DNA sequence: TCATTTGATCTACTTTGCTATATCATGTAG
DNA sequence: CTACATGATATAGCAAAGTAGATCAAATGA
């Protein structure tokens, strides 16, 4: 295929892997057959805008037409945002296991606290910084314990557990950051804290 | 069609008109039939990435996947670049006439000074600010005069003429600008002056 | 060792983008 | 009024995207 689609394919694949999704999972999210996603990532098709956009959307990416003049600035920004993809592969896998466990749990038992649990997990998944896999493992054990007990208490305990971890992560991420860029003249996202 | 393609279609059409190109002209540049461009702009097709990219390229646009987080910042930048599209329609048309006249001239007679002339015209076309149509009209008359005389002198006179106009425009554009944004922390384009 | 997951590949079929070409109504210039 | 440029449409045909579904080797997990 062409050079443009080659870059696109690479970016899609990278984004998917960064999110720790399998082709089949992405397939479900984007509504596109796994076989087709495979072809797309291997740059074997000249895909349509609708496909590209639905896949990109599932990966929290947005399709844009940016003026050539603005390219350097835009690239600089997207680079700064896309940085810190340096997440341990093992950590990534552990996060996926957790997510799946929770999803499985949610499919059987529902409730406000379970949704809470899911939300917390999602938060952590998005933090994308170095996390001690051991801690994650403990979290997972806790969640898995819920499946047998099925008690509300267990769920709430897990939620608290995760909430604490999230705070640890946020703190660690802040201290790990570079000594701050000279002056962040543009804002990367609207305030959207809950 | 979908919402995404709708936005794209609108942006493509806007970009084309901002450049003062007809669908047929763009068709030649992008290597896509005029009929197809029409359908695309009317959001009647779910076009392929290759088509989108070739058309975008012809319009000095680049296809990009932007992280959702970076969207506001990127949009802000592209907006600031794409601003000043407020060009008089009459002026636009006059600019097109000039460009065509020069191109026609170039197709018959070639030479260093004619290329110079073309370059100057291109410069002016890109300035995209309010220009007095009367001045442009004079320029065009000058260029048209070349067609009959065919003399080198006439070409050089036109080039000087246009060079002077370009400076006037640059000056006027500078004084028309807002009192400068606080601090341009990002650079919009590499230095590429010749 | 055995089961599951993953990504790649294949088949068969449908849909649709894309091309080439032409026509047409509507402006707009000369 | 005449001629030309513009954008929208139409026809016909080919190529390829897209779908559903299955298979398979390799990696991974239990």
């Amino acid at each position: 295929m062409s050079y443009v689609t080659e870059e696109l394919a690479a970016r899609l694949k990278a984004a998917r892997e960064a999110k720790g999704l399998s082709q089949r999972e992405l397939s479900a999210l984007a509504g596109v057959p796994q076989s087709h996603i495979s072809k797309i990532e291997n740059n074997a098709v000249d895909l349509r805008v609708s496909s590209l956009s639905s896949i990109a959307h599932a990966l929290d990416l947005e399709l844009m037409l940016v003026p050539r003049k603005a390219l350097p600035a835009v690239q600089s920004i997207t680079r700064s945002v896309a940085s810190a993809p340096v997440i341990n592969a093992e950590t990534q896998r552990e996060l996926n296991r957790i997510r799946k466990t929770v999803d499985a749990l949610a499919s059987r038992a529902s409730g406000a606290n379970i949704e809470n649990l899911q939300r917390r997990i999602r938060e952590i998944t998005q933090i994308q910084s170095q996390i001690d896999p051991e801690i994650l493992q403990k979290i997972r054990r806790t969640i898995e314990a819920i499946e047998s007990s099925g008690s509300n208490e267990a769920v709430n305990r897990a939620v608290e557990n995760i909430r604490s971890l999230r705070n640890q992560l946020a703190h660690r991420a802040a201290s790990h950051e570079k000594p701050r860029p000279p002056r962040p003249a543009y804002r990367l996202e609207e305030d959207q804290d809950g």
Side-chain angles (χ1 to χ4, degrees), chain A:
Chain A
M1 278 298 124
S2 70
Y3 167 71
V4 199
T5 55
E6 187 175 328
E7 261 204 308
L8 241 44
R11 271 189 61 68
L12 288 179
K13 177 166 188 171
R16 175 178 65 80
E17 288 173 344
K19 277 194 133 37
L21 295 172
S22 71
Q23 290 183 346
R24 279 184 173 80
E25 287 172 315
L26 177 57
S27 163
L29 288 176
V32 167
Q34 174 265 327
S35 60
H36 200 222
I37 292 184
S38 170
K39 282 199 280 186
I40 290 172
E41 289 189 352
N42 285 313
N43 199 28
V45 286
D46 179 10
L47 75 172
R48 299 189 180 158
V49 169
S50 62
S51 305
L52 173 57
S53 129
S54 60
I55 292 179
H57 198 79
L59 294 171
D60 290 322
L61 294 174
E62 209 62 46
L63 195 58
M64 283 206 69
L65 286 177
V66 40
R68 189 171 288 291
K69 278 186 182 179
L71 247 183
V74 169
Q75 284 175 334
S76 144
I77 290 184
T78 59
R79 243 192 300 279
S80 77
V81 168
S83 72
V86 257
I87 188 167
N88 190 322
E90 176 50 31
T91 304
Q92 184 64 269
R93 252 174 272 142
E94 186 64 39
L95 277 173
N96 283 340
R97 278 184 218 119
I98 292 183
R99 190 168 43 75
K100 281 180 190 171
T101 309
V102 173
D103 286 351
L105 177 64
S107 69
R108 251 165 301 161
S110 66
N113 43 10
I114 287 196
E115 287 177 20
N116 218 342
L117 185 59
Q118 286 181 294
R119 190 142 22 91
R120 290 291 178 199
I121 294 298
R122 227 175 307 248
E123 276 177 12
I124 288 186
T125 305
Q126 283 180 351
I127 285 190
Q128 294 283 28
S129 68
Q130 288 304 343
I131 314 174
D132 188 349
E134 277 190 53
I135 305 184
L136 288 182
Q137 210 170 6
K138 285 180 191 166
I139 299 277
R140 181 156 60 98
R141 304 269 182 246
T142 311
I143 300 175
E144 283 171 346
I146 304 176
E147 299 214 73
S148 22
S149 77
S151 81
N152 248 337
E153 297 266 344
V155 177
N156 292 332
R157 218 181 309 130
V159 170
E160 264 318 302
N161 217 333
I162 292 161
R163 182 186 164 84
S164 155
L165 173 62
R166 195 208 101 96
N167 290 340
Q168 285 180 43
L169 285 176
H171 178 265
R172 194 182 301 187
S175 62
H176 269 310
E177 258 175 14
K178 305 238 167 97
R180 299 248 122 204
R183 207 178 276 104
Y186 43 80
R187 180 178 294 258
L188 286 181
E189 45 185 336
E190 322 291 73
D191 284 346
Q192 50 180 7
D193 203 19

